Every structure is written in C-alpha cells, then in structure tokens.
Amino acid sequence: MKRRTFVSCGLFSGSLAMALCSGLVYPALTLANAWPRNLFQTKSAKDVIHGLFDNETAIASDAVKVSAPVQSDGMAVPIKVQAKFDGIDTIAIITENKNSPLASVAYFSGPVSGYSIRIRVANTSTVTAFVKANGKLYSAATRVKITKGGYGMTW
Amino acid sequence: MTIQTKMKIRRSGNQAEILVLVNHPMESGNRVDKKNNNRIPAHYIESISFKINGSDIADASLGPGVASNPMTGIVLNKVKPGDLVSVHWSDNKGMHGMAEHTIT
C-alpha cells in the first residue's frame, strides 16, 4: 500500500473507512485532491481563475447557463449551472465583491451536465460559472440581486 | 452532534438530478459571538463526492462561502433505474457522513 493511502486512511475512523482501506482502495476517498485551501483564501477573483485554470481565457458561451432567482436572500442563493457539453471536467462558481470569491469547484469524471449549490452572497454582485470541457474553458454570468439578509446589508 | 444527510433523485428519461441536503452549520469562521466577542470557529464542509455503482462521478470542493444546510446537486446523464448513487461528505473538523439511494 502506498504511504499516502495509508496515512489518509488513518484519518478516517469507523468501519466503513476500514473496509475501504483494507481491500478495495477507493481512489477518490483516500487519494482525494487535497482541499485547495489557498484558492479558497485568495481574495481576488482573477487570482482564483488563474489558480484554477492557469492562463486560459474563458469563452463566453450560450451553451452554459447560470440561473439564480432575480431577488434573493443573501444567506442562501441557489445557483444552478447547466452546460450542454460532453466531457465536462470542472465547474467553478465564483462571486465578485467577496472576501473569498471562490464558492465551490467541482471535478467530474462521469457524464454530468449540471451542478447546483446554495451560496452566500454579501451584496448585489455578479456570479460567474466557469466550465471546462474538452480542454476549453467557457463561462457565463448572472447578476444576483440581494434584497434581504446577506452580511453587507447594502443593496 | 449528528448531522443528517438527505438525498433525493429526480429522474426524467436517462437524465437524473441528484440533490443532497446536509444539515450543516457551515460556519465561515468570520462570525463573532455577540455575547463574549469571540470568533465562532470555522466549521464547514470541504468536500462532497458522488459515486454511481461504486465508481466516481464527481468530487466537489466547498468553501466557507457556501450557505448553511447546503443543498448540492448534480445532473447526471446516462442513468438507468437500479443504479446506486452514493454520496460522501467530510468537513474541516473531520466529521463525515454519507447517503445512498437507488435510482427508480
């Protein structure tokens, strides 16, 4: 057994983890990508995009759809990303005007065409979704208007 | 403290939407307790992984900017009734949970 697998197995507890570690080695659980701490702590949206996708420039595309309610409570804004591509690798959701712009990033290894999550948005701002499919980077944005809640309380 | 994980699957044709609801505080670490002016320590889900019939399909990283009781969903193509979808999440304090559901 590889050392890393063994070490990360030690972090899990319970019989489920033991079962996973002993026989069938589940790559995603034991060798999961380490949580990208620096990306979540980066304060500028540009740096986050750079960190996630290097120097690729995103193509604004109609095939990517980001939907959010017109007006919403800033404590929970449901964001839904749908993309009409085959072979989606990554979907990242990035909010402007925030201390930590990166809300969530998902990596796919199966036939997936959408990703949705509820995020916190401080005040009215643009939410951009970046979709990487077949080696190309696409993006789409939507404006989220915060009418109550949020932690900036400005609108 | 036990944290509930709920999963719901909506299928239409060979496409299915998988929704996962975790009753998690998603404390960002920036909030201050007004009673004693101490910071409430960060406590948030870091990753949610989705599997279908035991093989990986998605691995999502979440940050402190995700709402409390996060509802996370993916839209899966090429599914058929009888497929087993399982979800596993873990947070920054080492807690984890899972849910399983069969597509009908």
Side-chain angles (χ1 to χ4, degrees):
Chain A
M1 188 184 276
K2 284 181 191 165
R3 189 180 166 272
R4 271 212 55 174
T5 320
F6 181 74
V7 171
S8 50
C9 282
L11 295 174
F12 282 97
S13 57
S15 57
L16 171 79
M18 286 312 291
L20 291 179
C21 294
S22 53
L24 311 144
V25 176
Y26 270 57
L29 265 184
T30 50
L31 290 174
N33 312 342
W35 190 68
R37 181 171 302 278
N38 55 339
L39 286 177
F40 280 104
Q41 286 174 347
T42 308
K43 289 195 167 35
S44 109
K46 249 187 187 173
D47 292 346
V48 173
I49 298 161
H50 182 79
L52 278 172
F53 306 108
D54 286 336
N55 282 326
E56 278 181 78
T57 41
I59 312 161
S61 169
D62 287 341
V64 181
K65 260 192 184 170
V66 190
S67 47
V70 179
Q71 297 184 335
S72 43
D73 180 349
M75 289 313 281
V77 184
I79 304 285
K80 198 170 186 179
V81 184
Q82 280 181 307
K84 290 179 192 157
F85 300 117
D86 287 331
I88 296 174
D89 285 338
T90 314
I91 294 182
I93 297 172
I94 292 169
T95 323
E96 277 177 13
N97 308 341
K98 250 191 101 168
N99 245 349
S100 49
L102 181 61
S104 175
V105 54
Y107 299 94
F108 302 109
S109 49
V112 171
S113 63
Y115 180 53
S116 60
I117 197 160
R118 284 189 196 151
I119 62 171
R120 287 189 191 119
V121 182
N123 41 40
T124 301
S125 66
T126 309
V127 176
T128 315
F130 289 87
V131 177
K132 193 169 184 184
N134 305 321
K136 282 187 176 169
L137 186 61
Y138 303 91
S139 77
T142 186
R143 193 150 177 84
V144 175
K145 193 176 176 191
I146 303 301
T147 49
K148 77 175 202 197
Y151 34 88
M153 292 305 281
T154 46
W155 59 84
Chain B
M1 186 163 94
T2 51
I3 291 176
Q4 254 191 347
T5 314
K6 284 182 189 169
M7 183 152 74
K8 196 174 178 182
I9 298 178
R10 287 192 202 127
R11 184 179 70 90
S12 61
N14 59 357
Q15 208 173 49
E17 187 177 18
I18 296 155
L19 292 167
V20 181
L21 180 74
V22 187
N23 277 353
H24 198 282
M26 294 302 279
E27 210 53 80
S28 70
N30 296 330
R31 261 171 14 110
V32 174
D33 191 342
K34 278 178 185 157
K35 283 177 198 153
N36 50 14
N37 273 353
N38 287 342
R39 277 194 176 212
I40 300 171
H43 187 201
Y44 50 84
I45 296 177
E46 287 186 339
S47 78
I48 299 183
S49 61
F50 294 79
K51 283 191 172 84
I52 186 159
N53 297 331
S55 61
D56 289 302
I57 31 169
D59 197 355
S61 298
L62 277 65
V66 172
S68 54
N69 303 331
M71 170 96 89
T72 315
I74 59 170
V75 179
L76 248 183
N77 299 329
K78 297 179 191 166
V79 294
K80 54 185 188 304
D83 283 347
L84 181 72
V85 180
S86 63
V87 169
H88 185 279
W89 60 263
S90 60
D91 68 17
N92 66 331
K93 286 190 177 175
M95 295 173 83
H96 51 92
M98 66 170 301
E100 273 185 337
H101 211 289
T102 312
I103 295 176
T104 48

